[in-house]
Amino acid sequence: MQRRALLKLLASGAIMLHSPTLYAVNEVKKAKPLKRVIWILQRGAVDSLHTIIPAFEKNLISLRPDLATGLENAFSLDDQYKLHPSLINVHDLFMRKELSCIVATSTGYKGRSHFDGQDYLESGLGAPNLQSGWLGRAMDTLGTEGIAISKSTPLAFRDSSRGRNFYPSNFDNSIDSLTDDLVALYQYDEKLTKALTSGTEIKSALMSDSKKRPSASFSKLCSECADIMQSKPNIQFVMIESGGWDTHKAQNARLSRELGQLDDGIAQLKKGLGKDWKNTLVLVTSEFGRTVRQNGTGGTDHGTASSMFIAGGSHLGGSVHGTWPGLSDDALFEKRDLAPTTNTFSWISTAIKQHLGLTLSQAGAIFPDHPTYDCELFTRE
């Protein structure tokens, strides 16, 4: 060995002996970034038939003659399905193979109560359990932390001390979608409807000044979420709530608005996460779907099977998963709803197992009643 090379080698060794922190820093740089999961819960039961549109279904227009208007500009996903025209960014992710759609899926809940359906979805078990949430079990299983962008700690975090909630204090606590949900709830009671209208008018008058705080739109919450994740790299699980999906009447306008907010929100997440998007899994689900037939007020009522999105920078996207059950009377659940053919929890379990590199035992601890599917959703490292 040449004398100069030997001196360099000895010098580097001396530096490592006297500066162990330098070695530690180099090791940290080599460590893989934490893979993360964002769960978007669409509270109110999203209408899946006009989110992921089965364009091949001849019965769709006859079942929804009024709701089918305005979908001429829907984005093609393949030769069978289209995407609602408000989902321009979601469609872009699909074409980039960073997002997939799943049709005709449900949690297994067969009732029609929003509260029970959401409890079932947040619990993630085969039977109602208000003492345990699937995100709480995920955090405890992996020994990591989570945060919910919500005004209170959700059931999904229950029975774990590793999760907490956060809500931007500079946002208005009153969200327009809440009023919409109350309108749907009170629609058959004239007195309650009148009282709500009066209260809404008073609120509008009180908040008419220019100094009112900005409304907490979903896209703004997603922007806040990305900022939090960038500033707190130890957080692995995030839950974001989205409301306004209970479209009992005037569905076309409301669904377009809410899907537009969802679309903007997902775009904000990708933009805000930057390079960390490739290490992030985004799941979008709702407690159940809506009726196949339109009702008399230009909307739909509580149904059964719904749809979901899976997205992320390392996701093998660009596919529509799930088995289509059909829209004939014989194929409908209780002759009114889209029938479920796969399970929402099994899809979530499959996605997080592959994305986080979980063992079967770990996946089973999070979703003990729902096995994973044999479907490759993520690239292998």
Side-chain angles (χ1 to χ4, degrees):
M1 180 181 293
Q2 293 183 354
R3 182 172 179 272
R4 181 175 297 178
L6 178 60
L7 290 173
K8 286 184 177 180
L9 181 62
L10 292 173
S12 64
I15 290 173
M16 296 311 301
L17 287 172
H18 291 285
S19 305
T21 55
L22 178 62
Y23 179 76
V25 169
N26 289 333
E27 285 298 302
V28 169
K29 288 182 179 179
K30 293 179 182 179
K32 291 183 179 180
L34 185 68
K35 290 195 173 183
R36 304 157 106 174
V37 177
I38 300 174
W39 180 36
I40 298 173
L41 170 54
Q42 299 169 293
R43 294 193 186 276
V46 66
D47 179 52
S48 63
L49 290 177
H50 277 163
T51 300
I52 305 168
I53 307 163
F56 60 92
E57 268 289 356
K58 297 179 180 179
N59 294 330
L60 187 62
I61 295 179
S62 62
L63 291 166
R64 298 177 159 206
D66 299 321
L67 300 183
T69 60
L71 298 179
E72 300 83 8
N73 298 321
F75 299 106
S76 294
L77 297 175
D78 53 25
D79 59 354
Q80 291 187 305
Y81 294 95
K82 292 186 177 183
L83 202 61
H84 192 282
S86 294
L87 295 171
I88 182 170
N89 292 303
V90 169
H91 181 254
D92 181 64
L93 288 176
F94 183 91
M95 299 305 293
R96 291 173 178 272
K97 300 189 182 302
E98 295 179 12
L99 180 142
S100 286
C101 309
I102 302 175
V103 298
T105 186
S106 83
T107 62
Y109 172 71
K110 296 297 193 297
R112 304 186 191 282
S113 163
H114 288 303
F115 304 106
D116 293 343
Q118 289 169 23
D119 288 347
Y120 202 100
L121 178 57
E122 291 189 63
S123 177
L125 299 172
N129 186 335
L130 302 183
Q131 305 307 315
S132 179
W134 74 265
L135 280 172
R137 294 193 298 274
M139 288 182 280
D140 286 348
T141 298
L142 300 180
T144 54
E145 298 179 20
I147 190 168
I149 311 298
S150 62
K151 296 178 185 125
S152 60
T153 305
L155 188 155
F157 281 14
R158 196 160 294 177
D159 200 29
S160 174
S161 60
R162 297 178 177 275
R164 53 194 174 87
N165 67 294
F166 165 81
Y167 196 79
S169 59
N170 61 318
F171 283 164
D172 183 2
N173 285 331
S174 299
I175 305 176
D176 290 339
S177 61
L178 175 60
T179 302
D180 292 336
D181 291 341
L182 290 174
V183 168
L185 184 64
Y186 296 165
Q187 63 180 308
Y188 302 115
D189 191 304
E190 184 177 350
K191 290 183 178 179
L192 288 176
T193 299
K194 186 176 180 179
L196 178 62
T197 302
S198 176
T200 302
E201 290 174 352
I202 293 172
K203 176 200 166 189
S204 298
L206 292 173
M207 298 296 291
S208 61
D209 62 285
S210 59
K211 295 182 180 180
K212 74 173 184 176
R213 291 176 291 176
S215 62
S217 69
F218 181 72
S219 60
K220 290 177 182 176
L221 291 179
C222 286
S223 180
E224 289 276 346
C225 172
D227 289 344
I228 292 171
M229 293 178 71
Q230 290 288 61
S231 65
K232 297 184 180 298
N234 61 313
I235 292 177
Q236 185 166 39
F237 296 95
V238 180
M239 177 179 173
I240 314 176
E241 299 177 341
S242 167
W245 300 97
D246 197 18
T247 52
H248 284 285
K249 64 179 183 179
Q251 176 170 299
N252 278 349
R254 292 188 61 193
L255 187 62
S256 294
R257 183 191 69 199
E258 297 303 331
L259 287 175
Q261 281 285 319
L262 176 69
D263 189 70
D264 289 343
I266 293 175
Q268 287 291 336
L269 286 174
K270 180 175 181 179
K271 178 182 178 181
L273 290 172
K275 293 181 180 179
D276 202 33
W277 171 253
K278 67 180 180 181
N279 299 311
T280 303
L281 161 67
V282 179
L283 301 162
V284 185
T285 66
S286 192
E287 68 262 32
F288 47 73
R290 307 198 71 80
T291 51
V292 168
R293 294 178 178 84
Q294 68 178 52
N295 59 28
T297 58
T300 53
D301 300 314
H302 300 173
T304 305
S306 188
S307 59
M308 61 182 290
F309 293 126
I310 297 176
S314 63
H315 173 49
L316 294 172
S319 300
V320 179
H321 298 290
T323 302
W324 187 252
L327 295 181
S328 65
D329 283 345
D330 292 339
L332 299 181
F333 176 73
E334 295 184 350
K335 297 190 180 297
R336 56 170 274 169
D337 301 338
L338 184 68
T341 56
T342 55
N343 186 275
T344 302
F345 298 136
S346 286
W347 283 114
I348 296 176
S349 183
T350 302
I352 64 174
K353 176 182 179 294
Q354 294 180 19
H355 174 64
L356 300 179
L358 305 184
T359 64
L360 281 175
S361 176
Q362 288 174 317
I366 301 169
F367 291 104
D369 303 322
H370 302 92
T372 59
Y373 288 130
D374 185 16
C375 178
E376 200 70 23
L377 297 176
F378 285 86
T379 55
R380 294 183 180 180
E381 295 185 354

